[in-house]
Amino acid sequence: MKKFWSGLLIVCLLLVFSGCSSSNETDDLTMDKFIEAFNNSGEDISSGMSSDEKDFVDKEKKPMYQMIGAKDGVIFDIGKDVVKLYEYESNAKIKKAVKSFDPLMEDWPIRGKFILETHNEKAIEIFNNVK
């Protein structure tokens, strides 16, 4: 009988720990990971810097992210196209914003707490491939 209860306890503990440790890959996404991906993409990125400086995404150059309920954002150009990356507090807040600003935001790609505003196909590809 003692072995039965010990075995049952071990099975229960395994179920509890396996359920608590599961995480979604989008939970690991950060603004820095997206910026690094764009900086390392080899694309012609411009943040309005002088031509003497290396082109990269400037984290300090911000769009008006508060107007769509985001908590942070960055803006830069790839080639001649504007790219805006917004970060929300949660995926639920993104869904609420998309619903509020429908149809403006309905086609913007979403990954976890992040949403991308651009028509540049390369930027969308980079955004979708960030790990």
Side-chain angles (χ1 to χ4, degrees):
M1 190 70 161
K2 188 176 181 181
K3 287 181 182 179
F4 172 75
W5 289 112
S6 297
L8 185 61
L9 178 64
I10 290 172
V11 170
C12 288
L13 288 174
L14 287 173
L15 288 173
V16 167
F17 286 121
S18 66
C20 293
S21 66
S22 66
S23 75
N24 190 346
E25 79 165 23
T26 58
D27 292 342
D28 298 332
L29 296 175
T30 64
M31 182 68 79
D32 288 335
K33 285 185 180 182
F34 283 105
I35 291 172
E36 181 180 358
F38 282 106
N39 285 340
N40 295 333
S41 69
E43 294 298 311
D44 181 23
I45 294 175
S46 171
S47 289
M49 298 170 290
S50 70
S51 60
D52 296 342
E53 297 181 42
K54 183 180 182 297
D55 287 345
F56 63 93
V57 176
D58 182 3
K59 291 197 264 187
E60 302 305 314
K61 190 165 182 193
K62 308 280 186 188
M64 302 279 295
Y65 58 87
Q66 301 94 336
M67 292 183 71
I68 59 170
K71 77 173 192 173
D72 195 10
V74 293
I75 184 171
F76 56 95
D77 298 324
I78 290 186
K80 295 181 180 182
D81 295 321
V82 176
V83 177
K84 298 175 186 173
L85 176 62
Y86 302 103
E87 180 180 7
Y88 283 80
E89 290 179 24
S90 68
N91 189 271
K93 291 207 176 190
I94 286 179
K95 289 178 182 178
K96 182 178 177 184
V98 169
K99 188 175 178 181
S100 296
F101 293 101
D102 188 41
L104 176 69
M105 296 173 70
E106 71 182 355
D107 294 332
W108 296 1
I110 298 172
R111 300 258 338 264
K113 303 182 303 182
F114 296 87
I115 189 165
L116 185 72
E117 177 187 0
T118 189
H119 296 293
N120 185 291
E121 291 299 321
K122 187 62 180 173
I124 294 169
E125 180 183 329
I126 294 165
F127 176 80
N128 287 330
N129 289 316
V130 172
K131 298 198 186 307

